[in-house]
Amino acid sequence: NHTYTHTMIAYIEPYFLDNDADAASVTGQSFDGVSESLHIQGEILCGGAAADIAGKDFGGMNCVKPLAVVRPVGPEDIAGAVRAALRSDKLTVAARGNGHSINGQAMAEGGLVLDMRSTAENHFEVGFLPSGAFVDVSGGALWENVLKRCVSEYGLAPRSWTDYLGLTVGGTLSNAGVGGQAFRYGPQTSNVTELDVVTGNGDVVTCSEVENSELFFSVLGGLGQFGIITRARVLLQPAPDMVRWIRIVYTEFDEFTRDAEWLVSQKDESSFDYVEGFVFVNGDDPVNGWPTVPLHPDHDFDPTQLPQSSGSVLYCLELALHYRDSDSNSTVDKRVERLIGRLRFVEGLRFEVDLPYVDFLLRVKRAEEIAKVNGTWETPHPWLNLFVSKRDIGEFDRTVFKELAKNGVGGPMLVYPLLRSSPLYFTELCMDPRVVSSLAVSYLMSKRDLLHCLYNKAQTLDEITRGVTACEGTEWDDRASVVLPEGEIFYIVALLRFVPTCAKTSSFEKMVAQNQEIVQWCVRKGIDFKLYLPHYKSREEWIRHFGNRWSRFVDRKTMYDPMAILSPGQKIFNRAP
């Protein structure tokens, strides 16, 4: 109904014009009639708090008003919003998760913003295939809630995580989803086997590696350009009970990288379960220096342990080892010492704590709570995330860490290696779900307890035949839309800047300028890098970013969103009239 869509836009638009005297009287109004006519069951909100929230993000550097905020009930509502945009001359649609974009990527100026949190509870179902366990979750679900439910109800957990879990499933899968487990299991995009997607054509499509595979790989890391993820099938594994969390300090970057690269290149049992790292200032600055390293209030950083030759910045390798409650302390200690004994860190600057697995994965939650109390959660966050090749990471360290950022960035400076394809690992074949159910009945035990027995090779069930199969480690799939630097090993670098509440606008602008300076230096020096969570303003920069993958990206756009309805905030394509 082309005419109706025009009428709807004409009806809603005046409420977004600042000089309209009547706008105030309908701010925050829910347009039920419009919802009905567009066959949208959820709410359509204009103005008010909903539009204010949708016009901002965590980065705090952009502010644009949408025409309306849609709170969809499910995929058909999302498809309805896309179809409404298709019938109009200029309307665009952006899916917004928990608002953690940095540069306005989830905004739609004068368009429709879909608040995906309204769909968070639409899916949660754990299933079992011969290849292993999985969970179907909504694209609008927070990873934090996925973790808690999977562990508490099934003793299982997804394999690959980001550091902060207050992000939606659809949000991270549209980028990559990278953290300290990615060296072993690949990014989160390599740990999903099926998606439900609403394309820019307004179609609701189920896709996987074998069904509608071009759409599946387009959407993974596709920056929201080809479809909106409404459901994802995420691989699971048995959740450990506890984690030994360790930080060790280095003065030399080459020793830090050598040890980190050695750890991520080892086979499963020969390494830690999590490997990350960060740079910090060699001084007592509470935000950027020594105090950021200890893991417990009782731990002290003793600078007298540092050699006289230490430079202006130091490096910390952050490691974690999973274990079960049934493992003895001495067993865990032996495994740790076997690995750590080979590393060349500064003796006397080693910190460790033991904590439950879920608490470890939610470790950034504490930092979030502190930032909310001191106000820095609400200030701008001009973050810069890059992938840098192993070939160039030394030069990056010399110029960026040791010069441009030698006084810190007001927040963490992460740097750690990732593998394009991870080492070989072993996975246990899981039983068919019907078999699991019938066995559970016959053994008078819950399915969850039975699965624990299966996974832990419990003697009580040794008559059950279990296959153990060697699988290739999960890798970054070239068919996905993510682009990476060359080489088997590359680094993620994240400058996670927080602006103090008392800071002048000029200090924030300096941070943004320094980010631009770093990117321009990389380009000028021929550094092999790619922005992660990319943000560019010109077509030329996007073409450089995608390199020889640009034509494929354009072809995919033509196929799945030819009118350029979706994710206008990325500023890659312009809406076709």
Side-chain angles (χ1 to χ4, degrees), residues 39 71 87 141 162 208 218 261 306 339 389 465 481 499 505-506 509 522:
H39 307 293
R71 289 185 176 148
R87 292 192 297 266
T162 51
S208 68
S218 298
E261 287 173 18
L306 294 167
L339 290 168
S389 70
T465 307
S481 293
V499 178
T505 309
S506 61
E509 286 165 353
C522 287

Side-chain angles (χ1 to χ4, degrees), residues 151-169:
V151 173
S152 66
E153 295 176 28
Y154 294 91
L156 300 171
R159 313 187 304 177
S160 189
W161 296 98
T162 51
D163 290 338
Y164 175 65
L165 303 190
L167 307 171
T168 59
V169 171

Side-chain angles (χ1 to χ4, degrees), residues 142-154:
L142 293 182
W143 282 108
E144 177 182 341
N145 296 333
V146 173
L147 167 71
K148 288 173 181 172
R149 278 196 73 177
C150 285
V151 173
S152 66
E153 295 176 28
Y154 294 91

Side-chain angles (χ1 to χ4, degrees), residues 54-69:
K56 296 183 186 132
D57 62 17
F58 186 68
M61 296 176 285
N62 294 268
C63 185
V64 299
K65 276 194 174 179
L67 178 66
V69 176

